């Protein structure tokens, strides 16, 4: 393995300046430097290897980085979970081939995007039948969430539905490696897995320390085959996660060291990929933003725009990241007007205002109003329709759903049912 260059410096929240944020990202695609380990916050146990071409070294990286855990014992049986197998993803067979070097591999295609309890159960049963001692997930957020859940439950007897209802009593006994192929969800470094309950009309989630993968291998070059609509929505998910994590009540100095650079990299990365979808540097920037945002929300969780997105995805079929971004700008302006009377953060309104100023600067804008315009403008230039395209005009049908998600407590400014209804009404009329 080539010598790794030093990790990038990530500034603390209080020392956040424009110049700090432009870490030396362009060296990441210089393959001569090889893959290197990204720094992670103390609350994330996952080892993260980043760099263009890293997926080609998957078997060697797993042996090297998980050597301690393996204690000289190679995997015997590996379940490989992938997205749809297609010639448009030439790297897919290379990565699957690398998994075969690790042990007897069973390859399963993730049954569907936006996984349901039933679709995840299918993959869980494959893991149990194969008696997998390792699960390798190679795909987008849905593939990663499905594989994470299967790995967590494989060693026990509980079904996916049972786990969602009653939790998971045991630790994970099956090794777990995540190789994201889209830049957005950050699932390769989080302890949650989303399951969409379409019959119940609810987004549900498992939250368990065993859902943190042991190893994440992030290769920006894998994201280049994602179609425009996919990378755009995924990039907006990364941007939303980065922004929401930065203002979250649960944010800390440590999480802000990841979330604030992610805000800038996600917005700049989306601009750059829009300008040239084949630009490896742009893709690298977006991939880095996605991992950093994931590392941030692993500790902070998300807030109102994510809560709004769930019914927009379930009821209107809007892809996750796009659905988050539809109210991100409006909630930014709402939060920027926080006062002592309606601040939810125990550190006070000035602290929250400070976070909003840092987000505004990270977006390279002078005011929250301009920050909002940059976000809305990004959505428009990415060719994604505004909220009004999805009716009904007042969004009254989703308010109850949104309020029922617990993310409101994590928003820095108190968001009431009435305020949310007004915000959605205004957004639908724009
Ligand atoms: Fe998200």
């Amino acid at each position: 393995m080539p010598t790794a260059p030093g990790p990038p410096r990530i500034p603390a929240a209080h020392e956040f300046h424009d110049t700090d944020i432009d870490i030396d990202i362009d060296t990441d695609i210089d393959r001569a430097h090889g893959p290197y380990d990204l720094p992670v916050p103390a609350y994330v146990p996952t080892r993260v290897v980043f760099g263009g071409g890293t997926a080609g070294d998957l078997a060697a990286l797993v042996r090297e980085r998980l050597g301690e855990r393996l204690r000289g014992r190679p995997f015997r049986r590996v379940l490989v979970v992938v997205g749809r197998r297609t010639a448009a993803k030439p790297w897919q067979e290379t990565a699957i081939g690398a998994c075969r070097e690790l042990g007897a591999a069973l390859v399963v295609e993730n049954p569907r995007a936006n996984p349901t309890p039933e679709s995840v159960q299918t993959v869980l049963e494959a893991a149990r039948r194969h008696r997998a001692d390792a699960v390798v997930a190679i795909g987008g957020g849905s593939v990663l969430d499905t594989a994470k859940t299967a790995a967590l439950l494989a060693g026990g007897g509980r079904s996916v539905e049972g786990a969602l209802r009653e939790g998971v009593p045991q630790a994970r006994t099956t090794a777990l490696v995540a190789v994201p192929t889209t830049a957005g969800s950050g699932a390769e470094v989080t302890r949650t897995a989303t399951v969409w309950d379409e019959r119940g009309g609810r987004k549900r989630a498992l939250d368990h320390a065993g859902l943190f993968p042991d190893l994440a291998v992030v290769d920006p070059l894998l994201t280049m085959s994602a179609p425009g609509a996919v990378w755009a929505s995924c990039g907006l998910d990364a941007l939303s996660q980065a922004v929401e994590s930065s203002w979250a009540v649960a944010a800390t100095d440590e999480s802000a060291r990841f979330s604030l650079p992610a805000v800038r990299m996600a917005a700049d990365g989306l601009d750059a990929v829009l300008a040239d979808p084949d630009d490896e540097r742009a893709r690298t920037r977006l991939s880095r933003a996605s991992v950093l945002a994931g590392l941030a929300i692993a500790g902070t969780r998300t807030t109102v725009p994510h809560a709004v997105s769930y019914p927009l995805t379930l009821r209107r079929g809007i892809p996750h990241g796009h659905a988050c971004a539809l109210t991100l700008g409006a909630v930014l302006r709402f939060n920027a007007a926080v006062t002592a009377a309606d601040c939810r953060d125990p550190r006070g309104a000035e602290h929250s205002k400070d976070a909003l100023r840092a987000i505004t600067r990270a977006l390279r804008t002078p005011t929250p109003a301009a920050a909002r315009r940059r976000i809305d403008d990004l959505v428009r230039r990415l060719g994604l329709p505004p909220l009004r395209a999805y009716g009904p005009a007042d969004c009254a049908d989703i308010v109850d759903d949104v309020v029922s998600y617990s993310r409101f407590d994590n928003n820095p400014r108190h968001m009431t049912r009435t305020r949310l209804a007004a915000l959605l009404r205004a957004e639908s009329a724009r």
Side-chain angles (χ1 to χ4, degrees):
M1 189 61 55
T3 311
R9 197 182 95 75
I10 297 173
H14 64 271
E15 56 172 11
F16 176 78
H17 301 293
D18 276 4
T19 48
D20 290 330
I21 218 73
D22 291 315
I23 59 179
D24 191 13
I25 194 151
D26 291 342
T27 58
D28 293 350
I29 61 163
D30 182 351
R31 295 183 204 196
H33 285 113
Y36 61 84
D37 287 62
L38 272 190
V40 299
Y43 52 80
V44 174
T46 307
R47 294 194 70 169
V48 184
V49 180
F50 188 94
T54 43
D57 294 330
L58 188 58
L61 284 168
V62 169
R63 282 193 210 99
E64 263 188 31
R65 302 303 205 276
L66 296 187
E68 233 171 75
R69 181 190 165 104
L70 296 173
R71 290 188 203 91
R73 180 182 65 82
F75 296 129
R76 288 176 308 239
R77 309 177 70 79
V78 182
L79 181 80
V80 186
V81 187
V82 297
R84 198 161 58 81
R85 285 172 92 170
T86 149
K89 307 172 190 167
W91 43 262
Q92 208 171 33
E93 296 309 314
T94 309
I96 290 170
C99 294
R100 294 192 197 284
E101 291 176 41
L102 294 169
L106 172 67
V107 182
V108 295
E109 279 188 38
N110 184 39
R112 52 165 294 161
N114 293 347
T116 59
E118 296 77 23
S119 75
V120 183
Q121 184 70 28
T122 306
V123 176
L124 169 60
E125 282 162 15
R128 285 180 177 152
R129 265 199 316 276
H130 189 55
R131 286 178 285 112
D133 50 14
V135 170
V136 181
I138 307 166
S142 295
V143 172
L144 267 51
D145 280 358
T146 298
K148 283 165 62 167
T149 306
L152 173 63
L153 300 180
R158 200 157 277 193
S159 67
V160 174
E161 186 54 51
L164 285 165
R165 241 187 354 254
E166 295 154 40
V168 182
Q170 80 273 9
R172 175 168 52 78
T173 54
T174 307
L176 177 58
V177 177
V179 185
T181 61
T182 56
S185 81
E188 66 277 9
V189 290
T190 66
R191 53 173 286 154
T192 53
T194 296
V195 180
W196 300 88
D197 181 353
E198 288 176 332
R199 273 182 306 212
R202 298 278 305 163
K203 172 258 182 196
R204 298 162 78 187
L206 281 175
D207 181 344
H208 190 286
L211 290 173
F212 277 123
D214 299 302
L215 175 68
V217 176
V218 184
D219 182 343
L221 301 185
L222 301 191
T223 69
M224 299 194 72
S225 51
V230 172
W231 68 253
S233 182
C234 290
L236 289 172
D237 188 17
L239 178 63
S240 302
Q241 291 179 172
V243 168
E244 291 178 59
S245 178
S246 298
W247 69 40
V249 172
T252 61
D253 275 0
E254 187 177 27
S255 67
R257 281 198 291 275
F258 295 84
S259 66
L260 287 168
V263 171
R264 174 157 299 174
M265 277 182 228
D268 287 0
L270 280 165
D271 272 336
V273 178
L274 252 175
D276 180 3
D278 296 324
D279 181 358
E280 292 184 6
R281 282 180 167 77
R283 298 286 186 161
T284 300
R285 198 169 285 273
L286 214 43
S287 277
R288 177 71 77 81
S290 171
V291 187
L292 295 187
L295 290 168
I297 58 156
T300 66
R301 312 299 161 96
T302 53
T303 64
V304 169
H306 263 69
V308 174
S309 80
Y310 302 136
L312 289 178
T313 296
L314 273 164
R315 289 169 179 256
R316 315 268 168 94
I318 307 175
H320 173 66
H322 176 197
C324 294
L326 285 176
T327 58
L328 184 67
V331 177
L332 188 153
R333 281 214 72 183
F334 172 81
N335 284 342
V338 65
T339 65
D342 61 11
C343 182
R344 293 203 83 116
D345 195 313
R347 293 166 292 194
E350 265 320 298
H351 175 90
S352 294
K353 280 183 176 296
D354 223 27
L356 264 296
R357 278 190 283 270
I359 294 165
T360 302
R361 282 203 303 276
L363 287 166
R364 303 183 192 278
T365 48
T367 61
R372 184 221 164 117
R373 278 196 298 278
R374 184 169 184 204
I375 292 168
D376 292 349
D377 191 48
L378 255 177
V379 175
R380 187 183 54 74
R381 286 188 298 116
L382 287 165
L384 302 175
L387 194 55
R388 69 170 178 276
Y390 296 96
D394 60 359
C395 282
D397 59 321
I398 69 166
V399 171
D400 287 336
D401 277 5
V402 175
V403 174
S404 70
Y405 291 103
S406 63
R407 316 277 156 147
F408 274 31
D409 294 344
N410 201 26
N411 199 63
R413 186 176 175 204
H414 187 44
M415 175 68 90
T416 61
R417 199 181 182 291
T418 312
R419 283 170 162 178
L420 175 70
L423 184 144
L424 289 172
R425 224 175 11 251
E427 285 312 286
S428 301
R430 281 167 66 87

